[in-house]
Amino acid sequence: MGCLNQQTAVNALVTGPKDCSFRSSMVALACMVNSEIGAVLAVMRRNVRWGIRYADDDQQEHYLIHSFKALRKKIFSWQHQWHVIDPVVYLKPFLDVIQSDETGAPITGVALSSVYKILTLDILDSETVNVDKALHLIVDAVTSCRFEVTDPTSEEVVLMKILQVLLACMKNRASVYLSNHHVCNIVNTCFRIVHQASSKGELLQRTARHTTNELVRCIFSHLLEIGNRQHALAEGTRMSAEAEIHVPTDDHMLEEKQGVNANGSAKSDGKAPFLKDTSGYPSVTPAGKVDEDIKTLGHGEVAQSGAESMMDPYGVPCMVEIFHFLCSLLNVMENIETGPRSNPIAYDEDVPLFALGLINTTIELGGASFGDHPKLLVLIQEELFYNLMQFGLSMSPLILSTVCSIVLNLYHHLRTKLKLQLEAFFSRVLLRIAGCKHGSSYQQQEVAMEALVDFCRQPYFMGEMYANFDCDISCSNVFEDLANLLSKSAFPVNSPLSALNTLALDGLIAMIEGMAERMEHESSASETASLELEEYKPFWTVTCDNYKEPNYWVPFVHKMKQIKKKLMIGADHFNRDPKKGLEFLKGVNLLPDTHDPHSVACFFRYTTGLDKNLVGDFLGSHDEFCIQVLNEFAKSFDFRNMNLDTALRIFLETFRLPGESQKIQRVLESFAERYYEQSPDILVNKDAALLLSYSLIMLNTDQHNAQVKKKMTEEDFIRNNRRINGGNDLPRDFLSELYHSICENEIRMIPEQAAAASVMTRSHWIGLVHRSKQSAPYIFCDAGPYLDYDMFTILSGPTIAAISVVFDHVEQDSVLQTCVDGYLALAKISASYNFVDALDDLVVSLCRFTNLLLPSYVDEEFILAFGDDAKARMATVAVFTIANRYGDQIRSGWKNIVECILSLNKLGLLPARLASDAVDDLELSSDQNLVRPPSSSPTTSTPSTMAPSRKSSGLMGRFSQLLYLDTEEPEPQPSEEQVAARQRSLQTIQDSHVDSIFAESKFLLAESLSQLVQALLLAAGRPRKANNMEDEVTAVFCLELLIAITLNNRDRIMLLWQGVYEHIANVVQSTVMPCALVEKAVFGLLRICQRLLPYKENLTDELLNSLQLILKLDARVADAYCEQITQEVMHLVKANAMQIRSHMGWRTIVSLLSITARHPEASEAGFETLSFIMSDGAHLLPANYVLCLNAARQFAESRVGNVDRSVRSLDLMAGSLDCLIRWFYKTKEAVGEEAAVKMAQDIWEMWMRLIQGLRKVCVDQREEVRNHAILILQRCFTSVEVMHIPRDLWAQCFDLVIFTLLDDLVELSQQHSAKDYRNMEGTIVLSLKLLCKVFLQSLQDLSQLTSFSNLWSRVLGYMEKYMKVKLRGKRSEKIHELVPELLKNTLLIMKSSGILVPNDGDSFWQLTWSNVRNIAPSLQLEVFSSEELEQLQKAQAKGCSPVQDGNVIVPPSETTT
């Protein structure tokens, strides 16, 4: 019992102590302790040495056994008061066994198990009396454990139990009472066992390492809870720094006391290289006891140093010691040569890996809390990071990976305090290895690239790199170098895509996707304006007012970046010619116009990229200005509280010391003066500083020049520097320290620039640490995209090129998807920041991968190949996704997108209603996802009714189809693979949402929309080969898209209209035969007008004027589509008649309607449209009145329709008179008399056009038409009293209308046969009645004319003429009877009105009766009796008239009908 086997011990250690969920009863505890006592005694009695002794033996019982027996007597008396019992009482016997060198391994092992059991059961806790002392005793006993080794196995078991107990101590609830000293002892002992286990079994090795790791985790997990104890650290010294963990300062190794085993004592082989550097802890014998010197040495050192803090409860002091020790394990790298082909880890990499793993654990647990404790932070800034730089260049990929993990953790937690350290690691390690600049292996490159990608995935990494380094004039361009490296590494060079290429691609895409995600935040990045400095202002040491507030630091870093760009150009000029370089800087106002030594010194001091050789030559020159610059340059350094060798290292790091002795002297004189000025503690004057500086440079050359065989000793160096301090000697310790510093760390005379291929030396690291204390604060970037615009400017081009190359070479779906994600992220950023060129390049690149731009292909074969090509399908979806999401920023890329769409159309893969606009969406049927047929069987979206229909062609067409079907061979059925491939192709197009590009085009920015239209116009306007169906289909499809875009962008039609109209005009005017293209052009134009007229009143005339293109159609084309055109015009007029106001617009509309009057199919629709306009005067306007009259007359005269339509046309003309009367009433509302007169004149003119038009129809060949026309004409004459027709106009009516009509009728009756003009007699009768009716109607007005006599004479003449007319060779009795009657009525009215009175001397009287006698001689007596004639003559003689003037009597019953 109590002796655990190896596996049990390991399991207990690995699982760790388990917290009991209940507290054991006091009796149970006593029983447990009693059982452990029995177990130890049982094992001891198995050994002869501890066998049974009899009472008569001279020797007393061994004190170890006696102590157990004494304890056994007491334990059951404590059963009710265990927590008030000092645990030392029941632990002491077990601890004595552990510390005894007389016990063997089995006994020691059981005792250790007993202690472990007591620790893991709730016997000891924070409430236990004297628990701190008990824990200290346990630690002291276990760390100084002694035992006799009987066999290797038992020894390993004991060692594992030691580890088990020590870990249990740290995990115990009362572990908070452990002191810093004891915690260090615990860790130290574990490390010793780790080292000793290297010669033991695998189980012990793994257990020791695991325990050490758990101890470190347990200790550093409390760092977050510990307050800043800087006061304790300042007062304390490193506890047992030389004795337990730290490296000793002297060369004396403490003698190690060895245990005894079966083979006697043995010394450790000491092969582990780190023991030389960590000689503070003694080795454990391979088969012996843990040395007891630990306890003695530890207590002695603490007592001597008086470091009371190390005896306090453990906290930061022990963590400092442990962390320092872990860092010191890595110091071995300093003495190992590292070269491009050498392996810097010449020994087993297991040792540094173990140390690095522990360091990583501490940083993971401590996190940002390291920054709260200055000594821990200093260790990371100086010791740790230097070693990480060294191990980062290790040839071991595993070590490099661990180092990168540590740096990633440090970046995450402490980046604000590690600015320059991080810059050095990135530029000198990761970027160098990943770029294969260190002779690194492929595995190293892969590890470094993985690390860089991990960093790129950090949300704020890229912005912080750019802000802190690329925008700092004293730092390298880490972001730009990283972007260039990733883009370059993503290119597969003469080989298939490797893992390195994929990693680089992942890094680029991670950077891009990070930017895309940041764009979703409220903050926005803005374009950086170019900085033009009007005058020089010192900027070298300018700092931002607030590095935490973006409103302050963002403009600041923008400004510094612009300055840095110009500085880099100036540095390049300087490296080629220093004078020209300085002149350039003056020209851009980065140096003052006048010679200013301080500004030039700052240029040398803070500008990166300068040739350090040229800087050294300039500073060492004897020129007065150069000397002034040198002095200012030296003053820029801060050497306070700095050793001379450190100051010299920092000074010489900034330039290369010239080779000439005079130049060297001038440089060192300036340095010595500055150093003495700031550090006058030891040196009495600047000459002493100068001499000692010379001496150090000589010592450096002596110690580190391979050609010097005999090296200078310390005594030589001290002797050489006698009496240089004002005639006195310098302190020996001071010189000794300088000597060892130079010997151990060379002062590199070649600065970093010249030593770029080498590792970071200690000398350079000292300079970096010094600069880090003076560098600007680290800028912490939040989630805002403050600098993304600038970064994307650098990143966009290389990234697009890299992704394109990878996409071209790779076949794996996962990598392809990664590339597509990168494309989409690039597109998002490009669109957001208006990088139109980048977006166009991206679109062009993607279009190339769709394979849709190939010049020739077979439709079905291509569709199947497209369905099987995942890359092409992914690229297609990506292209159209970008077009839909970010079309606003696409410019020239539309050309390629349109080409892809046209290819898809040729293949028949596009939706049937791709070109649908928003209004058409309401009409979509359930089959809207139907696919367009391929170009081999072209169709258009125009309904079949729009095609010219001919009965004969339909019959022949059906017959031809029957013949074709009879001879056609059945097509082979596609295979399942082909069906699947085609389905994939269709699904790809469906996922692409090509139709959305045009349906949503109304949301595109104006410039992008113009570019899209230009691309379509370019594609549509290509020369077409004769009889090439594909070319025509493409042109039709482009025209469809143009029309759809135009309709969808009615609110900005002027942006597109000119180009679209010119294209349609070109199609219309260049086509001489009916075809689908001209059909689409004509009806597309009509459709545009229909849609836009209701919304664009200001464009009504222009839109309607465009319809004149239809009038210019070739006759054959116009005839083929006339009916459909008329239907569309009818729809346009019915929907938009209220919007058409101008004469120009109506002229176009009416012209189109007039053409249809004589077209068999179109006339009906044309007349319906005209009726819609003219009926009830609904849409008659002064602007269209005459036009509509002419059109109505043409329909009336047309013989295409039936007579009824002509009659209805005349009725429309007659109905228009109501509009004239209505308008005439409105003249009274006109403002001003002149305007009223003008309106009246216009109305009279329109009335005149009306009656003239009717007069022309009055001679129509058809009896019904001409008779109805005469009646309508009579109505138009007799219904205009309210219009106050002027006298002159009445006279014109007789001359131009009535008399002309009578002449024409006579002529027709004489020259044409009765068959052509049937029943002319009735027409003449109506015309004569019209003559008399109108004459009498206007008699009063006409009588006032001076030409009335002539007019009356002509009226009588026409009556006389018609009396003599012969129809069919015979006199018409009806006319012969009608004329005298009409004349009689006329004379009677003239008589009653006083116009016709007896007067032989009156010419009018004579004229009248001379003509009347020729017509009807007896009429005079019928009109005037003899008595009336006498009475009238007498009255006339007296000068009076019996009839009142102005009374014209017309019997109401009189009519001409």
Side-chain angles (χ1 to χ4, degrees):
M1 180 179 179
C3 183
L4 301 176
N5 58 29
Q6 294 183 14
Q7 188 60 46
T8 303
V10 173
N11 290 339
L13 183 63
V14 172
T15 58
K18 298 181 178 178
D19 294 334
C20 298
S21 59
F22 61 94
R23 183 171 296 277
S24 302
S25 67
M26 301 300 108
V27 177
L29 292 175
C31 292
M32 183 274 294
V33 175
N34 182 62
S35 65
E36 294 303 320
I37 294 172
V40 176
L41 290 175
V43 177
M44 292 178 69
R45 287 168 180 151
R46 290 168 57 184
N47 193 300
V48 177
R49 180 186 303 178
W50 311 99
I52 300 174
R53 298 180 185 272
Y54 297 96
D56 56 352
D57 289 349
D58 296 335
Q59 296 182 350
Q60 294 290 328
E61 189 176 43
H62 198 280
Y63 78 96
L64 293 177
I65 295 178
H66 178 76
S67 62
F68 279 113
K69 289 181 178 181
L71 177 61
R72 221 170 195 176
K73 295 177 183 179
K74 301 176 183 178
I75 55 175
F76 287 101
S77 62
W78 304 336
Q79 51 185 318
H80 298 296
Q81 47 186 348
W82 272 86
H83 279 278
V84 297
I85 301 299
D86 188 351
V88 175
V89 176
Y90 53 82
L91 286 173
K92 190 68 168 63
F94 298 99
L95 299 180
D96 288 342
V97 171
I98 293 171
Q99 289 181 293
S100 174
D101 55 3
E102 299 179 18
T103 56
I107 300 172
T108 305
V110 174
L112 287 167
S113 296
S114 299
V115 175
Y116 174 75
K117 190 171 184 178
I118 294 172
L119 287 170
T120 55
L121 299 176
D122 285 334
I123 299 176
L124 298 179
D125 58 23
S126 59
E127 299 177 1
T128 303
V129 175
N130 208 22
V131 68
D132 53 344
K133 183 177 180 181
L135 286 177
H136 292 169
L137 287 175
I138 293 174
V139 173
D140 291 339
V142 175
T143 55
S144 60
C145 174
R146 295 174 174 274
F147 60 92
E148 290 183 354
V149 178
T150 56
D151 61 273
T153 302
S154 62
E155 179 195 5
E156 291 186 16
V157 170
V158 173
L159 293 176
M160 283 192 289
K161 289 184 178 181
I162 291 173
L163 296 171
Q164 187 180 20
V165 172
L166 293 176
L167 183 58
C169 285
M170 289 304 306
K171 292 189 175 183
N172 189 272
R173 293 181 179 180
S175 63
V176 293
Y177 293 106
L178 286 172
S179 68
N180 291 301
H181 167 76
H182 287 90
V183 170
C184 289
N185 266 354
I186 291 173
V187 176
N188 182 46
T189 301
C190 289
F191 267 104
R192 288 164 52 189
I193 295 176
V194 168
H195 168 58
Q196 189 167 335
S198 61
S199 60
K200 307 296 181 182
E202 182 72 16
L203 182 61
L204 178 60
Q205 294 180 34
R206 294 183 178 275
T207 302
R209 289 175 180 267
H210 176 78
T211 303
T212 306
N213 188 67
E214 286 297 306
L215 280 172
V216 171
R217 291 182 64 85
C218 185
I219 295 168
F220 280 87
S221 63
H222 295 288
L223 184 60
L224 297 174
E225 306 168 4
I226 298 175
N228 193 343
R229 300 181 180 176
Q230 297 184 16
H231 60 281
L233 293 177
E235 296 174 1
T237 60
R238 301 192 183 276
M239 54 73 59
S240 52
E242 292 86 18
E244 296 171 319
I245 296 180
H246 201 36
V247 182
T249 56
D250 57 2
D251 296 328
H252 301 287
M253 297 294 293
L254 296 174
E255 184 177 349
E256 299 175 359
K257 180 176 180 180
Q258 303 296 331
V260 180
N261 61 17
N263 301 321
S265 63
K267 292 278 186 180
S268 171
D269 55 9
K271 289 183 179 179
F274 72 90
L275 290 178
K276 178 180 179 182
D277 292 293
T278 58
S279 51
Y281 70 82
S283 64
V284 179
T285 58
K289 297 184 177 182
V290 180
D291 201 323
E292 65 179 357
D293 288 344
I294 297 174
K295 177 180 177 183
T296 305
L297 181 60
H299 282 287
E301 288 296 319
V302 172
Q304 292 176 11
S305 63
E308 297 178 359
S309 64
M310 298 309 294
M311 299 310 298
D312 292 339
Y314 82 92
V316 174
C318 72
M319 296 180 190
V320 172
E321 298 305 325
I322 295 170
F323 196 78
H324 187 275
F325 169 64
L326 295 177
C327 294
S328 68
L329 290 177
L330 305 176
N331 286 337
V332 67
M333 285 297 295
E334 290 188 355
N335 299 319
I336 298 178
E337 291 294 331
T338 306
R341 296 298 177 187
S342 64
N343 186 353
I345 306 300
Y347 57 93
D348 189 353
E349 66 180 12
D350 193 49
V351 175
L353 276 176
F354 178 56
L356 290 169
L358 293 175
I359 290 172
N360 196 33
T361 298
T362 63
I363 295 171
E364 289 174 345
L365 293 170
S369 297
F370 276 93
D372 299 330
H373 306 287
K375 287 199 173 182
L376 284 173
L377 181 60
V378 168
L379 285 174
I380 293 175
Q381 292 173 327
E382 300 180 9
E383 190 80 9
L384 174 61
F385 235 108
Y386 174 71
N387 289 319
L388 292 178
M389 294 285 295
Q390 304 301 103
F391 276 94
L393 297 175
S394 162
M395 301 304 289
S396 168
L398 190 55
I399 290 179
L400 176 59
S401 178
T402 308
V403 168
C404 292
S405 298
I406 295 173
V407 175
L408 181 60
N409 281 319
L410 289 172
Y411 166 79
H412 182 69
H413 296 297
L414 298 169
R415 59 182 179 275
T416 58
K417 297 176 173 61
L418 299 171
K419 178 178 178 179
L420 296 190
Q421 288 86 344
L422 287 170
E423 179 203 7
F425 185 79
F426 287 125
S427 58
R428 287 178 166 273
V429 178
L430 286 185
L431 293 176
R432 184 173 298 174
I433 293 177
C436 198
K437 295 181 179 179
H438 188 65
S440 51
S441 64
Y442 179 82
Q443 289 77 12
Q444 285 179 286
Q445 294 180 55
E446 194 170 349
V447 171
M449 191 63 72
E450 287 175 347
L452 288 173
V453 173
D454 286 339
F455 278 105
C456 291
R457 292 192 177 110
Q458 305 306 307
Y460 314 133
F461 174 75
M462 301 315 304
E464 291 178 353
M465 292 301 101
Y466 185 79
N468 288 287
F469 304 129
D470 291 55
C471 297
D472 190 326
I473 60 175
S474 298
C475 297
S476 58
N477 293 330
V478 174
F479 170 80
E480 190 170 349
D481 293 343
L482 176 57
N484 292 334
L485 172 67
L486 291 176
S487 58
K488 179 181 177 182
S489 300
F491 281 78
V493 181
N494 301 325
S495 63
L497 193 71
S498 65
L500 194 65
N501 303 135
T502 306
L503 279 172
L505 177 67
D506 289 341
L508 284 173
I509 293 178
M511 295 163 68
I512 293 298
E513 289 180 341
M515 291 184 184
E517 290 175 5
R518 286 193 294 273
M519 289 174 55
E520 299 175 0
H521 292 77
E522 293 183 2
S523 301
S524 60
S526 58
E527 182 177 354
T528 304
S530 179
L531 176 67
E532 295 295 338
L533 298 176
E534 297 180 358
E535 60 180 3
Y536 169 76
K537 293 182 180 179
F539 58 86
W540 308 100
T541 57
V542 173
T543 58
C544 179
D545 294 335
N546 189 340
Y547 283 94
K548 296 181 180 180
E549 177 56 46
N551 292 334
Y552 287 89
W553 66 256
V554 171
F556 176 76
V557 298
H558 278 156
K559 175 183 177 182
M560 296 309 294
K561 181 58 178 177
Q562 296 296 324
I563 291 175
K564 185 175 181 180
K565 288 180 180 178
K566 296 183 179 181
L567 273 181
M568 293 300 98
I569 299 174
D572 183 62
H573 284 297
F574 179 86
N575 292 341
R576 287 179 288 176
D577 188 329
K579 291 184 178 179
K580 291 183 178 179
L582 296 178
E583 289 298 323
F584 170 82
L585 292 173
K586 291 180 182 178
V588 295
N589 294 319
L590 292 182
L591 287 179
D593 294 334
T594 58
H595 289 295
D596 179 24
H598 177 72
S599 300
V600 177
C602 290
F603 172 64
F604 292 152
R605 179 78 166 87
Y606 300 110
T607 305
T608 60
L610 291 176
D611 187 333
K612 302 291 180 76
N613 294 318
L614 294 176
V615 174
D617 288 337
F618 190 99
L619 295 175
S621 176
H622 66 279
D623 183 79
E624 182 63 28
F625 179 72
C626 295
I627 294 174
Q628 294 175 5
V629 171
L630 174 61
N631 293 332
E632 292 292 336
F633 183 79
K635 290 179 182 179
S636 66
F637 290 88
D638 183 6
F639 295 141
R640 287 173 293 183
N641 302 319
M642 194 179 294
N643 288 340
L644 180 64
D645 65 307
T646 302
L648 192 59
R649 293 175 195 276
I650 294 171
F651 185 70
L652 295 180
E653 182 192 18
T654 56
F655 63 95
R656 184 172 185 177
L657 197 63
E660 299 179 21
S661 59
Q662 293 181 348
K663 290 185 177 182
I664 294 175
Q665 182 175 353
R666 278 191 287 270
V667 171
L668 291 182
E669 284 177 352
S670 182
F671 164 76
E673 184 176 355
R674 178 62 173 173
Y675 181 79
Y676 173 73
E677 178 185 338
Q678 294 187 317
S679 300
D681 299 334
I682 298 177
L683 301 175
V684 297
N685 53 41
K686 63 180 182 180
D687 293 334
L690 174 62
L691 292 174
L692 190 55
S693 299
Y694 261 116
S695 181
L696 289 178
I697 291 176
M698 293 174 62
L699 175 64
N700 187 74
T701 305
D702 177 87
Q703 292 295 316
H704 301 286
N705 192 328
Q707 297 179 355
V708 179
K709 303 302 181 182
K710 185 179 179 180
K711 303 297 183 182
M712 187 185 303
T713 65
E714 181 179 348
E715 291 299 326
D716 294 335
F717 177 72
I718 294 174
R719 185 172 55 253
N720 292 340
N721 289 287
R722 287 177 180 173
R723 301 183 181 279
I724 66 170
N725 194 25
N728 298 319
D729 291 339
L730 289 166
R732 183 179 182 87
D733 293 342
F734 175 73
L735 293 175
S736 179
E737 183 180 356
L738 291 177
Y739 175 83
H740 288 291
S741 176
I742 297 298
C743 291
E744 293 171 6
N745 299 309
E746 177 187 3
I747 297 178
R748 294 287 181 139
M749 296 301 178
I750 302 177
E752 289 183 79
Q753 171 188 300
S758 64
V759 298
M760 172 70 76
T761 64
R762 176 66 73 175
S763 180
H764 293 153
W765 185 255
I766 292 172
L768 185 143
V769 171
H770 173 72
R771 285 190 289 112
S772 68
K773 297 174 182 177
Q774 301 174 340
S775 64
Y778 188 93
I779 297 174
F780 179 82
C781 294
D782 57 21
Y786 308 111
L787 304 173
D788 285 357
Y789 183 93
D790 298 334
M791 292 192 291
F792 190 69
T793 303
I794 298 170
L795 199 59
S796 58
T799 303
I800 293 174
I803 295 178
S804 299
V805 170
V806 174
F807 196 78
D808 190 23
H809 284 76
V810 76
E811 298 298 334
Q812 298 93 330
D813 288 349
S814 59
V815 181
L816 289 174
Q817 187 58 51
T818 300
C819 292
V820 169
D821 293 341
Y823 275 125
L824 295 178
L826 281 166
K828 179 179 180 180
I829 303 169
S830 299
S832 177
Y833 293 148
N834 201 28
F835 278 70
V836 293
D837 292 338
L839 191 57
D840 287 336
D841 292 343
L842 191 150
V843 169
V844 170
S845 178
L846 268 175
C847 287
R848 181 168 59 89
F849 296 122
T850 63
N851 294 334
L852 295 173
L853 302 181
L854 299 177
S856 62
Y857 42 75
V858 179
D859 292 352
E860 193 60 33
E861 292 181 3
F862 182 87
I863 293 175
L864 297 179
F866 184 77
D868 292 331
D869 190 345
K871 182 188 298 184
R873 287 186 282 111
M874 293 173 75
T876 301
V877 174
V879 165
F880 292 113
T881 300
I882 292 171
N884 278 304
R885 292 182 185 175
Y886 314 116
D888 280 345
Q889 308 305 326
I890 298 177
R891 299 293 182 266
S892 61
W894 282 121
K895 178 181 178 182
N896 298 75
I897 294 174
V898 167
E899 291 297 330
C900 291
I901 295 174
L902 296 181
S903 297
L904 291 173
N905 180 61
K906 291 178 181 179
L907 295 168
L909 293 176
L910 291 179
R913 293 183 66 86
L914 175 68
S916 298
D917 58 276
V919 180
D920 282 343
D921 290 342
L922 301 176
E923 305 169 4
L924 290 177
S925 59
S926 58
D927 59 349
Q928 61 182 349
N929 291 325
L930 293 177
V931 175
R932 282 177 173 269
S935 58
S936 56
S937 58
T939 61
T940 68
S941 61
T942 307
S944 59
T945 57
M946 288 189 178
S949 60
R950 295 290 183 267
K951 294 181 180 179
S952 59
S953 63
L955 179 63
M956 293 302 296
R958 293 183 180 179
F959 182 68
S960 300
Q961 290 178 2
L962 291 174
L963 293 177
Y964 178 75
L965 293 173
D966 184 55
T967 59
E968 184 181 24
E969 296 182 1
E971 294 184 359
Q973 294 296 321
S975 63
E976 293 183 3
E977 291 79 5
Q978 291 175 330
V979 172
R982 183 175 183 84
Q983 188 60 37
R984 285 193 295 270
S985 299
L986 294 175
Q987 186 61 44
T988 298
I989 305 307
Q990 185 175 351
D991 295 340
S992 299
H993 302 291
V994 181
D995 54 331
S996 298
I997 296 175
F998 305 99
E1000 303 298 324
S1001 62
K1002 54 180 170 288
F1003 300 115
L1004 287 177
L1005 292 179
E1007 189 174 356
S1008 177
L1009 180 63
S1010 298
Q1011 292 291 333
L1012 172 58
V1013 171
Q1014 288 300 320
L1016 286 170
L1017 289 173
L1018 182 64
R1022 292 173 186 161
R1024 299 188 296 275
K1025 299 178 181 178
N1027 301 322
N1028 190 312
M1029 188 63 68
E1030 278 194 4
D1031 288 348
E1032 183 177 354
V1033 169
T1034 298
V1036 170
F1037 181 63
C1038 289
L1039 189 54
E1040 284 182 346
L1041 298 180
L1042 285 170
I1043 293 170
I1045 292 174
T1046 303
L1047 294 176
N1048 279 330
N1049 290 272
R1050 62 192 181 198
D1051 293 332
R1052 43 183 178 174
I1053 182 64
M1054 294 310 298
L1055 185 67
L1056 316 173
W1057 177 244
Q1058 190 63 31
V1060 175
Y1061 173 75
E1062 289 178 359
H1063 176 68
I1064 293 176
N1066 182 58
V1067 171
V1068 168
Q1069 295 174 3
S1070 62
T1071 305
V1072 295
M1073 293 295 291
C1075 62
L1077 181 59
V1078 71
E1079 179 182 358
K1080 178 58 66 177
V1082 170
F1083 294 106
L1085 181 61
L1086 286 166
R1087 191 177 174 201
I1088 290 172
C1089 290
Q1090 288 178 19
R1091 294 288 180 81
L1092 298 185
L1093 281 175
Y1095 304 99
K1096 294 293 177 182
E1097 294 184 5
N1098 58 326
L1099 295 177
T1100 300
D1101 292 343
E1102 187 168 353
L1103 290 171
L1104 293 175
N1105 188 48
S1106 67
L1107 295 179
Q1108 292 186 10
L1109 287 175
I1110 301 175
L1111 301 175
K1112 299 178 183 179
L1113 283 169
D1114 184 91
R1116 289 165 290 188
V1117 178
D1119 180 65
Y1121 302 114
C1122 188
E1123 180 181 2
Q1124 293 80 23
I1125 292 173
T1126 308
Q1127 291 284 347
E1128 294 299 320
V1129 172
M1130 179 177 66
H1131 296 155
L1132 184 149
V1133 172
K1134 287 185 175 181
N1136 304 285
M1138 296 299 295
Q1139 280 74 36
I1140 307 174
R1141 296 291 177 184
S1142 69
H1143 174 76
M1144 182 72 68
W1146 279 113
R1147 185 176 67 179
T1148 304
I1149 295 295
V1150 176
S1151 298
L1152 292 171
L1153 297 177
S1154 301
I1155 294 174
T1156 65
R1158 289 172 176 77
H1159 195 280
E1161 290 86 2
S1163 61
E1164 188 63 35
F1167 181 73
E1168 181 181 349
T1169 307
L1170 185 63
S1171 299
F1172 173 79
I1173 299 172
M1174 299 185 66
S1175 294
D1176 300 325
H1179 301 291
L1180 276 178
L1181 302 169
N1184 67 359
Y1185 185 84
V1186 174
L1187 297 171
C1188 290
L1189 283 180
N1190 293 334
R1193 179 182 59 80
Q1194 293 183 44
F1195 276 100
E1197 294 174 344
S1198 173
R1199 296 192 178 188
V1200 171
N1202 52 31
V1203 173
D1204 182 63
R1205 189 167 69 194
S1206 297
V1207 172
R1208 284 187 288 136
S1209 299
L1210 292 171
D1211 290 339
L1212 291 176
M1213 297 176 72
S1216 69
L1217 181 63
D1218 295 336
C1219 291
L1220 295 179
I1221 296 172
R1222 186 168 62 250
W1223 296 340
F1224 193 85
Y1225 278 122
K1226 293 182 179 180
T1227 58
K1228 300 176 182 179
E1229 302 174 3
V1231 179
E1233 182 180 354
E1234 185 177 350
V1237 171
K1238 178 66 171 60
M1239 289 178 62
Q1241 289 176 347
D1242 292 340
I1243 293 171
W1244 294 332
E1245 176 65 23
M1246 287 184 279
W1247 176 74
M1248 192 68 185
R1249 293 292 186 93
L1250 170 63
I1251 59 178
Q1252 285 180 325
L1254 287 171
R1255 191 268 305 170
K1256 293 180 181 179
V1257 186
C1258 289
V1259 295
D1260 192 87
Q1261 191 173 0
R1262 296 163 295 176
E1263 178 186 4
E1264 297 88 343
V1265 175
R1266 64 176 179 266
N1267 290 345
H1268 193 70
I1270 293 174
L1271 294 176
I1272 294 299
L1273 181 61
Q1274 177 180 319
R1275 186 188 309 168
C1276 291
F1277 274 122
T1278 58
S1279 302
V1280 293
E1281 293 91 344
V1282 297
M1283 291 176 57
H1284 307 294
I1285 304 298
R1287 300 167 186 151
D1288 295 339
L1289 192 58
W1290 278 116
Q1292 291 182 28
C1293 290
F1294 277 90
D1295 289 339
L1296 300 177
V1297 178
I1298 297 175
F1299 295 156
T1300 304
L1301 173 61
L1302 294 173
D1303 290 337
D1304 292 342
L1305 289 175
V1306 171
E1307 184 179 353
L1308 290 174
S1309 65
Q1310 301 299 320
Q1311 296 181 1
H1312 295 277
S1313 65
K1315 185 177 181 180
D1316 294 335
Y1317 285 86
R1318 294 182 297 112
N1319 195 14
M1320 284 295 294
E1321 182 182 29
T1323 303
I1324 293 174
V1325 169
L1326 292 175
S1327 64
L1328 288 173
K1329 291 181 178 180
L1330 169 68
L1331 171 65
C1332 293
K1333 184 69 174 178
V1334 175
F1335 181 78
L1336 293 176
Q1337 177 75 24
S1338 57
L1339 181 60
Q1340 288 298 323
D1341 291 322
L1342 293 175
S1343 65
Q1344 303 298 321
L1345 296 173
T1346 57
S1347 60
F1348 177 69
S1349 298
N1350 294 332
L1351 177 64
W1352 171 239
S1353 176
R1354 294 184 65 182
V1355 169
L1356 294 174
Y1358 278 105
M1359 287 186 176
E1360 182 181 355
K1361 185 177 181 179
Y1362 274 97
M1363 285 289 291
K1364 300 176 181 179
V1365 169
K1366 293 183 178 181
L1367 300 176
R1368 300 180 183 178
K1370 298 186 296 182
R1371 188 181 69 175
S1372 172
E1373 293 298 330
K1374 190 173 183 179
I1375 297 174
H1376 200 267
E1377 294 175 357
L1378 177 65
V1379 170
E1381 183 181 351
L1382 293 174
L1383 181 59
K1384 178 181 177 180
N1385 184 55
T1386 302
L1387 291 172
L1388 287 173
I1389 294 174
M1390 293 177 67
K1391 170 188 172 182
S1392 63
S1393 62
I1395 296 175
L1396 182 64
V1397 293
N1399 189 351
D1400 292 336
D1402 185 4
S1403 60
F1404 182 78
W1405 176 265
Q1406 299 297 329
L1407 173 66
T1408 300
W1409 295 115
S1410 63
N1411 285 281
V1412 170
R1413 293 188 192 100
N1414 296 332
I1415 300 171
S1418 61
L1419 275 180
Q1420 186 174 11
L1421 293 177
E1422 293 180 11
V1423 175
F1424 290 96
S1425 63
S1426 58
E1427 293 80 7
E1428 288 178 327
L1429 290 173
E1430 293 177 358
Q1431 185 181 358
L1432 288 172
Q1433 289 175 354
K1434 291 179 180 180
Q1436 187 175 11
K1438 294 180 179 180
C1440 62
S1441 175
V1443 181
Q1444 296 180 358
D1445 294 340
N1447 293 328
V1448 178
I1449 303 175
V1450 179
S1453 60
E1454 185 67 26
T1455 179
T1456 61
T1457 59

